[in-house]
Amino acid sequence: MNALKNILFFLFLSIFVFQVSAQNKYTVSGYVKDKSNGESSIGATVYIKELLKGTTSNAYGFYSITLEEGEYTLVISYIGFKNIEQKINLNKDIRLNYAIEPDVITTEEFTITGEREDKNTNEAVMSTVELDVEKVKALPALFGEVDILKTIQLLPGVQSAGEGNSGFYVRGGGPDQNLILLDGATIYNASHLAGFFSVFNSDAIKDVKLIKGGMPAEYGGRLSSVLDITMKDGNFKKYEAEGGLGVISSRVTVQGPIKKDTASFIASYRRFYLGDIVQPFISDSSKFKGTNYYFYDFNAKLNYIVSEKDRLYLSGYFGRDVFSFKNTKDGFGMDTPWGNTIVSLRWNHLFNDKLFLNTSVIYTEYQFEVGLEQDQFEFRLFSGITDWNAKLDFNYLPSILHNVKFGANYIFHKFVPSNATARSGEVDFNTGDIIKNYANEFALYLSDDWDINEKLKVHVGARYSMFQHIGPFKRYNNNEFGSPVDTIVYDNGETVKFYHGIEPRITARYSLRNNASVKASFTQNYQYIHMASFASVSLPTDVWVPSSDKVKPQFSTQYAAGYFKNFKDNKFETSVEVYYKTMKNQIEYKDGALPEDNAGNNVDNSFTFGEGWSYGTELFLKKRYGKFNGWIGYTLSWTNKQFEELNDGNVFPAKYDRRHDASVVFLYDISKRLTLGATWVYATGSALTLPEARYTIEGQIVSDYGDRNSFRMDAYHRMDLSLTLKGKEEKRFKSNWIFSIYNVYNRKNPYFIYFATEGDIYSGTLDIQAKQVSLFGILPSIAWNFKF
C-alpha cells in the first residue's frame, strides 16, 4: 500500500503547487461544438496566437487556458471548419463557448476533417491514430459493409486476424490484449459472424482513436492497445434520419433534439438478413429447412445539458448473433445465440474554470450459449462475463503548460467459464457444479502533459492497479490424468488471491526544425483478466477467466521511439517508429485440451504458461487532404513465444507473427459527385503446425508433427476498389450509391489447409495431399445510402 500512499501524496502536492503558482493568473475556458448540429468537438485546437501555445478540447468539447493578466488573441482551429479568432482582455476569469462552422470551400476540396494540422509532430503522443468516420465510409468494404475494425487493420502495427475477419492484433499482442471501448464501456466480443463484421454501426460513431503504444495512465487493464470509440450525441438543432440498404444487411439511424440546444437523442439499428433471403430457396423437403443465421445491433444515446456546469449522457448498446441449425431428417437441432449488452451513464461536472469531472457508471455483459437437441436429449454449453464499473475521471488545467488528469476506477467482475447442462426427457444428468468466478479490480491514476519549453514536451503518469479474486469459489486440484482429487472451498467474499502493481507511463517529444520531432515512450501494463481460445481467431466460444492462485496477471513492458515530420504546410505526414515489447505470464491451452473439459472443473487447470516478445519497425506516409489523399503503411516485425510445456520448451513464432505487413489506401475525388477508393494489402503468410511425416501402425495413419508454427501459408495479398456516386443534392435529401469490388484480381488467399487421402494402404495406392481452402474470390457489391 506504500505505492498507493505515494501516488496520493504526489497528487495532493501537485495540486497545491499548481494552485500557488496560479496566483495572479486568470483563466479562459468553455466548450467547442459544431454549429450545424450542436455536437461537441473533440480535439479542437485552442491556442494563444501571441504565444503559439494552447490546448485541445477534451472528449466532451471542454477547454481551459490559464495565463497571466494581459491582452491576447484566442484562436479556435479545426480542419474542415472555419477558424475563429477573438481578442480577449484577460483581467478576470472568462467563460467563452464557441460554435464552429464547417468551411464550405474546405469541405469541397478536402475529405479529411476534424484533425489538428500539426498534431503529428507537436503532441507528446506517439503510436496513436485517429480515424475520420466519413472517410472510412468511402473505402471499399466486404459485402459493402463499412467496418471500422477492418479499417484499423490497414494501419501499420495492426494485423488482421484473417481473411475477411474484423479481429486484430497490435504489436504482437493477442486479441484479448486490446481494450475496446464504446462510450467508456468495454466490448468483450467486438465481432459478428465469427469475425467477418464488427459490432460498430458507423452511422452512430463520432470519433475513433487507436493507441498502439505510449498508453496514457487513464487507460489500463490491457497490454497491447486501446480502441476508444465515441458515439454521436445526437443532433441538438434538427431531426435527421440516415441509413443504407445493402445486399445482405441494412441500417437506419434517427437523431434530433428533445429540447432544442438542451437535450438530444440518437438511435441506430442494423440487421444482417442473408439467412432470411435464402429461406425461400430452401425446399420444404430439405433436411436443412429452418436453418438460419442473422445478427442485429441497436445503439441509443440520450444527452441532456442540465446547466452550464452539468451534463448527463445515457448510452446503450444491445447486439445479438443468432444461429439455428435444423436437420429434420435426423431430428437434430442447434440454437446458438451470443452477444453484448452495455449501459453507460455519465455525468460531467465543472467545478470551476480549471477542474472538470466525468463520473461514469457502466454495466457490461457478454454471453454465449449453444443448445443441442435430438429427440428427447438436450445439451447446453454456456459462458460469459459481466462487469459493474464505476469511474471518476478528473481533468485539471492549472496553466497553459500543464494538463493534469487523475482518477479512480472500480470494476466488479463475474466470470462464467464453460459450463454445461444435459437432460434426457425428465432425467437431468450431473455435469458438475456451475462454475462462477468473482473478482474486484481497482485502479488509481495520475498524469500530466507538461510543456517544459519550446522544444521539450512530456506526458508522465502512473497507474496503481489492484486485483482480488474472491469467493464463493471451489478450487479443484487434479491428478496427472486431469481428474479432481481434492477441493478447496472459499466462502463468499473470501480472498482467493490478491495482486497489485505500479504501471509507469512516460512519453516525450523533442521538436526539431522544419516541422519535425523525435519521440520516445516507456509503458508498463498489467492485465488481470485473460481470454482462453482454442482457435487462431476470436470466436464466440472463447472464455474469459480471472487471474487466480494458478494464473498470474499478464505483464508487459514496451519501449518505443520514432521520428515524425510533416511536409508542405502539414499536407503530408510521415513517421518511422521502432518498438520492443515483452509479455510475461501468457496463457495457452495445453496440448489435447478440449472445451468440454472445462465443465465441472476449473478452466485454468487446462492452461499452460509462458512468455512472449515482439519487436519491429513501422513506416507511415499520409496525405491528409486534397483531391487525392490516403496513406501507405508498412510494418517489419517479429513475434515469438516460449512455453515450457509446448514445443519441447523451444521458442516458436506466435500464430499471428507476420514478418511483412503492408497497406496502401487512397481516395480520389474525380468530381464533386464521384469518388474512387482503393486499398491494397500484403501480409506474410500465417504460421501453423503441420505434419512433417506420416506412417502407419496396424493399418492406422499416424502423423508426426513438426515444430509448433514452423510452417507458413502462402502470402496474403488483395486489392479492393469502390466507387461512390453522390445523388443530386436537394435541400433536405442526400443519397449516394457505393459500388465495391472485393479482391479485384481474384487472389486465392489461403484460409486453412486440410489433408485429403485417396486410395488405401493395403493396395499401396494411398496418396495424402495437402489442400488449401480459400474463402473469398472476387466479390462485387452495391449499397445505397440516404440522409434527410
Side-chain angles (χ1 to χ4, degrees), residues 21 105 153 207 263 362 376 462 676 720 761:
S21 64
I105 297 176
Q153 296 170 4
D207 186 70
I362 300 168
Q376 295 188 21
L676 175 68
D720 307 329
I761 298 172

Side-chain angles (χ1 to χ4, degrees), residues 266-286:
I266 183 170
S268 186
Y269 180 77
R270 177 179 63 160
R271 195 179 194 281
F272 176 91
Y273 44 66
L274 180 61
D276 301 322
I277 292 176
V278 301
Q279 288 300 308
F281 301 99
I282 301 177
S283 67
D284 293 337
S285 60
S286 172

Side-chain angles (χ1 to χ4, degrees), residues 190 211 307 431:
I211 303 171
S307 67
T431 56

Side-chain angles (χ1 to χ4, degrees), residues 66 190 211-212 287 351 439-440 545 576 590 676 729 731 769:
T66 299
I211 303 171
K212 301 179 291 182
K287 61 182 181 180
F351 288 96
N440 296 310
V545 295
V576 180
K590 296 177 182 177
L676 175 68
E729 195 166 310
K731 187 174 181 180
Q769 293 183 345

Side-chain angles (χ1 to χ4, degrees), residues 439-654:
N440 296 310
E441 185 172 356
F442 181 73
L444 293 172
Y445 72 87
L446 170 65
S447 68
D448 182 19
D449 286 315
W450 183 14
D451 205 340
I452 297 175
N453 56 42
E454 295 294 331
K455 296 286 188 181
L456 185 60
K457 187 174 184 178
V458 299
H459 169 88
V460 58
R463 185 180 182 90
Y464 177 62
S465 57
M466 295 166 280
F467 189 85
Q468 181 189 30
H469 183 201
I470 60 173
F473 176 70
K474 289 183 179 180
R475 165 57 66 197
Y476 298 99
N477 293 313
N478 295 348
N479 59 21
E480 57 183 321
F481 303 106
S483 301
V485 295
D486 182 37
T487 303
I488 302 174
V489 179
Y490 295 88
D491 294 331
N492 188 28
E494 184 178 356
T495 299
V496 178
K497 190 67 177 179
F498 178 77
Y499 295 99
H500 66 106
I502 288 281
E503 305 171 34
R505 316 286 176 83
I506 302 171
T507 303
R509 178 229 70 201
Y510 186 80
S511 294
L512 306 171
R513 295 180 180 179
N514 302 322
N515 290 326
S517 65
V518 291
K519 302 181 185 182
S521 67
F522 170 78
T523 309
Q524 289 189 325
N525 295 66
Y526 282 97
Q527 180 169 331
Y528 296 101
I529 65 174
H530 316 256
M531 186 178 72
S533 176
F534 287 95
S536 60
V537 297
S538 180
L539 294 176
T541 51
D542 296 338
V543 175
W544 287 92
V545 295
S547 294
S548 65
D549 54 335
K550 289 196 174 184
V551 182
K552 295 180 180 180
Q554 300 180 62
F555 179 71
S556 73
T557 300
Q558 182 174 171
Y559 308 86
Y563 175 76
F564 300 78
K565 183 171 177 58
N566 290 1
F567 297 92
K568 293 188 176 293
D569 294 325
N570 299 303
K571 180 182 287 189
F572 291 90
E573 292 181 357
T574 62
S575 64
V576 180
E577 292 190 43
V578 295
Y579 69 90
Y580 181 81
K581 179 166 66 175
T582 61
M583 297 165 283
K584 297 181 179 180
N585 305 324
Q586 304 297 283
I587 69 169
E588 294 276 0
Y589 275 109
K590 296 177 182 177
D591 287 335
L594 297 171
E596 55 266 29
D597 297 340
N598 299 331
N601 199 350
N602 302 125
V603 64
D604 54 18
N605 284 331
S606 299
F607 295 163
T608 184
F609 308 97
E611 61 183 9
W613 56 95
S614 181
Y615 54 94
T617 301
E618 299 169 3
L619 308 177
F620 193 49
L621 168 63
K622 178 180 179 182
K623 187 171 185 289
R624 301 173 62 244
Y625 53 82
K627 293 191 119 196
F628 180 88
N629 62 82
W631 70 81
I632 299 173
Y634 171 74
T635 304
L636 173 68
S637 63
W638 290 260
T639 302
N640 295 307
K641 288 190 171 186
Q642 188 171 26
F643 286 71
E644 185 177 345
E645 297 184 14
L646 299 178
N647 203 45
D648 295 325
N650 296 319
V651 175
F652 60 90

Side-chain angles (χ1 to χ4, degrees), residues 651-718:
V651 175
F652 60 90
K655 55 194 173 189
Y656 34 85
D657 173 59
R658 303 282 191 277
R659 192 68 62 249
H660 305 282
D661 197 277
S663 60
V664 179
V665 178
F666 75 80
L667 292 170
Y668 178 65
D669 293 329
I670 300 172
S671 66
K672 290 183 178 180
R673 293 183 56 196
L674 207 57
T675 299
L676 175 68
T679 62
W680 181 80
V681 294
Y682 175 92
T684 299
S686 299
L688 73 162
T689 308
L690 292 179
E692 288 185 332
R694 280 193 166 91
Y695 50 91
T696 61
I697 298 179
E698 297 180 354
Q700 299 294 319
I701 301 173
V702 178
S703 299
D704 184 13
Y705 284 87
D707 289 342
R708 193 178 185 91
N709 294 340
S710 59
F711 181 81
R712 291 278 179 180
M713 290 188 184
D714 290 340
Y716 181 97
H717 54 90
R718 186 192 80 241

